[in-house]
Amino acid sequence: MPKPTDTDSPAIQGDIRLDSSVKSTMYYIGGVPVHFPFVPYPSQLGMMNHMIRALTKAQNTMIESPTGSGKSLALLCATLAWRQSFVVRQRKMQENVRQIITRFCMHNTMLLRSRYGSNGTDADPDKKPDADPDKKPDAMETDGSEKPDILSNNYSFVTLQARAQTLQSETVDFILDTSKKQTLVGLSKDDLATLGEYQNAGKSATQRPRIFFGTRTHKQVAQLVNELRSKTPYRLRTAVLGSRAQTCTHPKAKRAESVDDTCRQLRDDNNCGAYTGFRRVLGSKKLAEGGELEIWDLEDIVSVARPLVACSYYASRELAATAKLVFCPYNYILDPAVRKAAGIELEGNIVILDEAHNIENAARDAGSFEVSDLQLASLAHECSGMFDHGILRNEHLVLKSLADTLAAWLQRDGAAFEYCDYETQTSVWPKPECSVDTLLTDLALTPDYISQVKSAQAKIEDYIASLRTQSNEHGPEDPELLPRDKHVSAGALRVVEGLLRVLKHVAHGSKFATDFRIAVVRHPNPELRTSLKRKRQSAFESKPAFINTLSFWTMNPGVVFSEIAEQTRSIVLTSGTLSPLDSYASELQVDFASTLEANHVIAPSRFCALAVECGPSGVRLEAKYRTSDQLEFQDDVGEAIRAIAARSPDGMLVFMPSYALLNKLIARWEATGRLAEIRSHKTVFVEPQGGTKDQFDKLLLSYRKHLSEPNETGAVMFGVFRGKVSEGIDFSDHFCRTVVNIGIPFPAFKDVKVMLKREYNNEHTMLLNGSKWYDIQAFRAVNQALGRCLRHKDDWGAIIMLEA
């Protein structure tokens, strides 16, 4: 084990502070001093060492670490310790380079004058001065300082030396080039080697990587923030990115069906005072360095913003622009549109994706795009309004033409659908008789026309930006004056942006052209099901019977993930259920230079794992479509659950493949009295299908509260694989002593996208074949559900599989 050092030793002079009130011990791991709150497990040491080596080499890596191994804490401490050490090395190198340039200037005056003896950089017009060191790029932080004015004709030695120091990168290039032709006085071989190292480092010699830590849900983000704040001594500027639904405090928007759309409307109509004052939050002492909420969560910033009548949503985005560490759900990183809207710049930065077992599916979703005929009609209507008002008439006419063409094609009569189920009809391209290129040509989506659309979109966005600039000239506290009849909505622009993004990929010649499937999906209008209850018959009759959706589905998660990998310094994927690891490199089209599979920290004597093939009456337990309808199967599963509930203490979780099976079994057990027998041993909670976040949080709170009060019955929570209960929630200790899994949650076999993905994988030999890919989706979901139990090394419990 690395030798520990007391935290009383002098702190490293980086840009991250250490809170002496938080107890920790320093360990040297991979050459980096890491402050850790307790003696790390062997698995944590392995993770931190692996992480630090990958970051040092600027490599991508994968880490699989079982539940309870302290993965999140190890990742946070290792990453922040590495960044601290990296900044120290940067500063030392920059200081060394400054000293070497000073010696060069002192001993090589004639060379200095030949290079910088005229105004600017006339000696080499192709060279550009270094960027203003006080202007920090969005993607990185820069360790710059004030520089003297060098744009004068004063050729004194002091001015020439200042010019050489200011144009540091250019000066290093000049010194190294000159050293190849002649010996430079005052510089040693070691000096030249240092300059060579600086030159080879490029931007990384001066720019500090920021850390984007993504996980699956906001609840998991909150857990990470709490780990950092309460268990580690590291203190730095952090931020959390969340949705308007989590942060908006405007009463009208909170009650609206779409918080996003209502927020934008209130903002543009000048009806949101909180938005105009969001900068008040930025000056809060609580959020400042050393403040009580220096490391904050969404609930914290809402609590700060509400009494200030300020918008926490826009304040959090402003704070994220300068934070060294940003937490967010990982769709903020994966989805190009969301990433752009959130202002996330990945160039040269570090991306950590925790709970990454779903990353393939999430990346495919992020690379895909869908738009309905109703959205297209709305886009056309808005553009028509701008045309009538004489605003950028040609540009809005181009977008209206695009929307009208696609909507008319979607709504055409006589369309053939090769995939049909109870309600949905789907047609997919390419077809044997029609390629994607032919389809795009038929729709007049030629490269020239797409270029026109892109140009029109850019001009419209510039126009809206100019409106905002004009309105903001009145002062930061004045409202935005952007009448809705002066510009198209943000939703309309998102439709155009999404179409342009996928059309770029499916166009002939694109390296991803064969990775997409274009589909038309027709399904009944869901509003018709409730219109009769809520609206008059005349309003009901005005609605279309069907909604037609144009879908661009990518089968290849590498479409978005490879772009992320090209920009970042390192990508780290972590989860307790990544296996098989080799599938990620091929699916994501990213080179992972290293992988680690950490050992479990829980002793075998502290848990029991078993599979049960038959029920009490001998019925074979196979939760398949055919057998799950058999009453004998339903009754035997119910009796098995009753028997387990009678013997299992405290909390118990039961997972099933679908809500359909869950509802079917609950109904059967209620009819036979089996559910009453289960209730005699444990209070029953059932995960609801759908519902709001608040409703689920209340259910979860009731479950925990019941188990925290002295009682003899305990509680059982019924849920589904891939549901809210099965992933990302910590049921440690008495909150879950037993996990029971019923069946294996294979993806819907006849789902069109599942079938297309299996076919795609079978066509690409570098990928897992379609059958293996299909199986892995199920087993990863099973492993996630099983991981709700056994959350730390002193935990204990049972894992039971009711499946033959």
Side-chain angles (χ1 to χ4, degrees), residues 37 102 170 185 188 194 224 238 246 260 276 381 416 469 530 533 543 576 585 628 729 771:
T102 298
E170 179 185 331
V185 181
S188 66
T194 297
L224 287 169
T238 66
Q246 268 103 18
D260 287 349
T276 61
H381 176 74
T469 301
T530 55
K533 298 179 182 179
K543 295 183 179 296
S628 63
I729 298 179
S771 295

Side-chain angles (χ1 to χ4, degrees), residues 30 113 156 158 190 197 221 232 289 297 344 401 437 443-444 478 480 504 541 544 650 710 713 720 788 800:
R113 288 189 178 280
S156 68
V158 173
D190 288 343
E197 182 182 354
V221 167
T232 83
E289 182 177 312
D297 190 15
I344 295 176
S401 174
D437 287 342
L443 292 172
D478 285 349
E480 287 198 352
K504 175 185 70 174
E541 291 175 347
D650 302 323
T713 62
V720 300
R788 297 314 92 205
I800 302 173

Side-chain angles (χ1 to χ4, degrees), residues 222-236:
Q223 292 170 358
L224 287 169
V225 171
N226 184 59
E227 290 260 290
L228 176 64
R229 181 165 50 192
S230 63
K231 295 183 180 179
T232 83
Y234 293 103
R235 295 295 177 264
L236 70 163

Side-chain angles (χ1 to χ4, degrees), residues 168-183:
Q168 192 173 78
S169 296
E170 179 185 331
T171 303
V172 170
D173 293 343
F174 175 66
I175 294 173
L176 290 174
D177 290 343
T178 305
S179 69
K180 298 174 183 177
K181 305 170 186 176
Q182 65 183 81
T183 301

